[in-house]
Amino acid sequence: MTARPRRSERDQLELFRALPRDLAPRDAQDLMAYPFFSLSKSHRVEPIDFRAGEIAIRVEAVPEHGMATIWDADILIWAASQIVEARDNGFRTSRLIATTPYEILTFVGRGTSARDYRRLRAALDRLQSTTVATTLRQPPSNPRNRNEPASDTRTTGRRMHRFSWINEWTERADAFGNPDGIELIVPDWFYKAVLDEALVLTIDRAYFGLTGGIERWLYRIVRKHGGRQKRGWRFDFRHLYVKSGSLSPFKRFAFELRAIIQRQPLPGYTLFLEIEAGGRTLLAFEPAPCGQAVEAVVLSGTRTIVPSGTDPSCYREPKPDLTSSAQSENRPLNLESNNESNFCRGGHSGENRSPTGRKEEERGRQTAFSERDDDAAAASSPPARHGPGGAS
């Protein structure tokens, strides 16, 4: 008896042709909240290994192509936008997507030169060769099953799901052998997250104009947590460092965060620097009331400076205690959602402390706050919160 030939994954999937219309950019929340991509355009082969409670993520790359970067993730944003738009309009979707390089490049704000096409192919190669193992959205492991690897069950308590960002991709050709676009297959893990409406967020199209890797990563973090927080959110610098998966030293990472706070490049959000009584440095943000801030001075081409009607001037060095609101003190912790992605109330940066340790540290923190308040009553001190240009 001859064995029946096995059908490929492509043969089992129905082809979905990408919609040609202009779509709103949408991003998967899991990809926004956790370290899945390299933040540098340099060739990275060192894996990302992130753990927080029962959440474990390991991203590995091959030396030939290197790890997929946060710029390569623009292709996944395009795919998520296509799938959500088709579903919302009653079209049948699929993990097998047919499109053209031109449609992807124009959607993500890239050029359409031969060089841009070569870069797109290199990005597809990196997405396919980068492998991910994660416990996100996976069921708990069976503690009685001895066949599961100990590293998966004992350290996380949940099953691991392994995949590549693109299962496969191919260049299409018409009957005459002329280029006719490309086809790609997104993984089931990503496809299920996109189809679940609660796991997709619309992002600002200005995101594609952010040039820095940390800027792009920080916008996705801020956008992920900014939707439900009317008064913004706060992150510990060191916990952000752990969540970034960056290879830079912490001092360099903190320096770049301060530079971003000073530049204010994130569309729709205002960033602040806050210092806790115990000395811990926090990055705080809140939604900007009118979108991106307007330059206070407009260069009109004349020899004189023409005010734009805003204040203060961008050519004036702000005072250390300036802030965009009347508030000049650290806001209380807001931990009503996404606790695992922010920071523990009484824990050190990026660490998961035991309940007993958190209670003891909380009592010590309250004592430190009361002592600091007594000192502040005797001698006034500058506000702990700093806006753009503030110093720590």
Side-chain angles (χ1 to χ4, degrees), residues 123-325:
L124 291 169
D125 287 338
R126 284 189 294 269
L127 289 170
Q128 183 182 10
S129 60
T130 300
T131 58
V132 180
T134 181
T135 59
L136 273 172
R137 295 186 283 108
Q138 299 307 302
S141 300
N142 184 358
R144 298 180 180 180
N145 190 352
R146 299 180 180 180
N147 296 327
E148 295 182 359
S151 59
D152 291 351
T153 58
R154 296 178 184 175
T155 59
T156 65
R158 292 186 176 273
R159 300 180 185 275
M160 300 290 287
H161 190 114
R162 301 178 184 273
F163 58 92
S164 296
W165 290 120
I166 292 180
N167 288 9
E168 62 178 74
W169 74 276
T170 182
E171 294 180 307
R172 295 162 52 94
D174 59 19
F176 302 98
N178 299 317
D180 190 29
I182 59 176
E183 292 179 0
L184 56 91
I185 301 177
V186 296
D188 186 64
W189 184 89
F190 172 79
Y191 185 70
K192 288 182 178 179
V194 170
L195 283 183
D196 187 346
E197 190 172 351
L199 296 179
V200 177
L201 288 176
T202 302
I203 63 174
D204 197 312
R205 187 166 290 278
Y207 164 80
F208 297 119
L210 298 177
T211 57
I214 293 184
E215 288 179 2
R216 284 172 154 251
W217 164 80
L218 186 59
Y219 172 80
R220 300 173 87 185
I221 284 279
V222 167
R223 176 66 185 93
K224 165 67 170 61
H225 295 275
R228 298 174 56 185
Q229 311 303 325
K230 295 181 180 180
R231 298 190 61 208
W233 196 260
R234 299 164 66 204
F235 290 103
D236 177 80
F237 264 42
R238 287 195 175 272
H239 189 57
L240 280 175
Y241 178 65
V242 173
K243 287 179 65 65
S244 71
S246 174
L247 293 178
S248 300
F250 172 72
K251 289 186 177 180
R252 176 65 185 178
F253 178 83
F255 172 81
E256 294 190 22
L257 280 186
R258 288 185 171 91
I260 291 174
I261 294 173
Q262 188 173 19
R263 294 197 311 270
Q264 297 293 320
L266 304 192
Y269 296 95
T270 304
L271 306 177
F272 303 95
L273 189 69
E274 294 186 354
I275 308 297
E276 281 190 331
R280 184 163 61 170
T281 306
L282 308 176
L283 182 145
F285 72 86
E286 63 186 23
C290 300
Q292 190 73 348
V294 180
E295 293 287 352
V297 172
V298 177
L299 301 179
S300 63
T302 61
R303 295 183 179 180
T304 59
I305 295 178
V306 181
S308 65
T310 60
D311 187 56
S313 167
C314 64
Y315 287 95
R316 185 190 313 155
E317 181 67 22
K319 296 180 181 179
D321 59 344
L322 283 181
T323 176
S324 66
S325 63

Side-chain angles (χ1 to χ4, degrees), residues 106-126:
T106 54
F107 178 86
V108 300
R110 311 279 178 87
T112 55
S113 65
R115 183 182 183 185
D116 294 306
Y117 279 78
R118 289 194 297 269
R119 288 180 173 178
L120 177 62
R121 294 188 182 95
L124 291 169
D125 287 338
R126 284 189 294 269

Side-chain angles (χ1 to χ4, degrees), residues 360-379:
E360 293 177 355
E361 199 160 333
E362 178 66 20
R363 287 194 294 269
R365 179 173 303 217
Q366 292 175 355
T367 302
F369 268 113
S370 61
E371 293 175 354
R372 180 64 59 90
D373 293 339
D374 294 339
D375 296 339

